[in-house]
Amino acid sequence: MCMIFFLLATLMSLGDFISQTFVERKGKDYNIIRTARFGFFGTVYVGPTLRTWYLVMERLFGVGKKTALFKLVADQMCFAPVFLATFICGMELLKGNTWNDSKNKVVENFKQVLMSNYQLWPAVQLCNFYFIPFQYRILVVNTTAVGWNTYLAFKTKDTVESNESWS
């Protein structure tokens, strides 16, 4: 299990690295603290949350291909909105922003991030729940998430530099 959390931290950090290097083209202004924050958050929040959620879905809906659609609906209608809001808020708090500023960032970005989520994750998760054995599902999500984490890093980036004058 620790290996999965380490892998997730690495893939989340990779997403931020790609965002800063290729999307934002930061060059010498690359923010290693931001990348470390993504890795830390992946280890202490994203990894355990995903694992717990997948275990809950297995208990709620059972095992087998017939449950894939139920898991997809639960994942996208119940889990995704809560997870994305807590992700945005958590990243803002880790930047040193206040609770109110973090909530405002959620309000500002939530709808766009959720709509982007719905363009990618339903197809990935349907395939994941239908074709992939349980023990490999987090790896499929983590691999797909490199691109998703690049997007999230880009969407949550703009207040980082103003709060980290020492980086």
Side-chain angles (χ1 to χ4, degrees):
M1 179 153 23
C2 288
M3 184 63 164
I4 289 175
F5 294 160
F6 175 75
L7 176 61
L8 182 55
T10 301
L11 293 173
M12 286 196 66
S13 297
L14 178 61
D16 183 67
F17 171 80
I18 293 168
S19 178
Q20 288 192 59
T21 305
F22 301 106
V23 177
E24 300 165 52
R25 300 189 186 278
K26 286 194 162 217
K28 292 180 183 178
D29 294 327
Y30 182 86
N31 187 337
I32 190 72
I33 293 171
R34 186 176 121 181
T35 301
R37 184 185 306 112
F38 257 78
F40 173 77
F41 202 60
T43 301
V44 301
Y45 178 70
V46 176
T49 301
L50 288 176
R51 183 177 187 283
T52 301
W53 173 240
Y54 283 178
L55 288 171
V56 166
M57 282 194 296
E58 289 297 302
R59 287 187 190 124
L60 285 175
F61 302 111
V63 180
K65 293 182 178 189
K66 293 179 182 179
T67 66
L69 193 55
F70 294 110
K71 290 175 184 174
L72 172 66
V73 170
D75 186 62
Q76 292 303 303
M77 301 311 281
C78 300
F79 180 75
V82 173
F83 178 78
L84 292 172
T86 57
F87 180 90
I88 295 167
C89 188
M91 290 300 288
E92 292 301 311
L93 290 170
L94 283 175
K95 292 175 192 175
N97 289 330
T98 67
W99 175 250
N100 284 335
D101 288 343
S102 298
K103 286 191 311 187
N104 290 337
K105 189 70 168 186
V106 172
V107 170
E108 177 185 322
N109 287 316
F110 179 74
K111 184 177 179 182
Q112 183 179 7
V113 170
L114 185 63
M115 291 302 110
S116 296
N117 169 85
Y118 289 149
Q119 292 174 4
L120 170 67
W121 288 106
V124 171
Q125 290 293 57
L126 186 59
C127 291
N128 200 20
F129 297 139
Y130 191 80
F131 295 112
I132 306 299
F134 177 78
Q135 66 268 26
Y136 300 115
R137 288 184 186 151
I138 290 178
L139 295 175
V140 169
V141 168
N142 291 343
T143 304
T144 305
V146 171
W148 179 246
N149 293 335
T150 300
Y151 170 75
L152 288 177
F154 181 72
K155 287 303 293 178
T156 60
K157 71 165 173 52
D158 56 349
T159 58
V160 174
E161 289 77 12
S162 62
N163 293 329
E164 295 176 351
S165 57
W166 51 276
S167 62

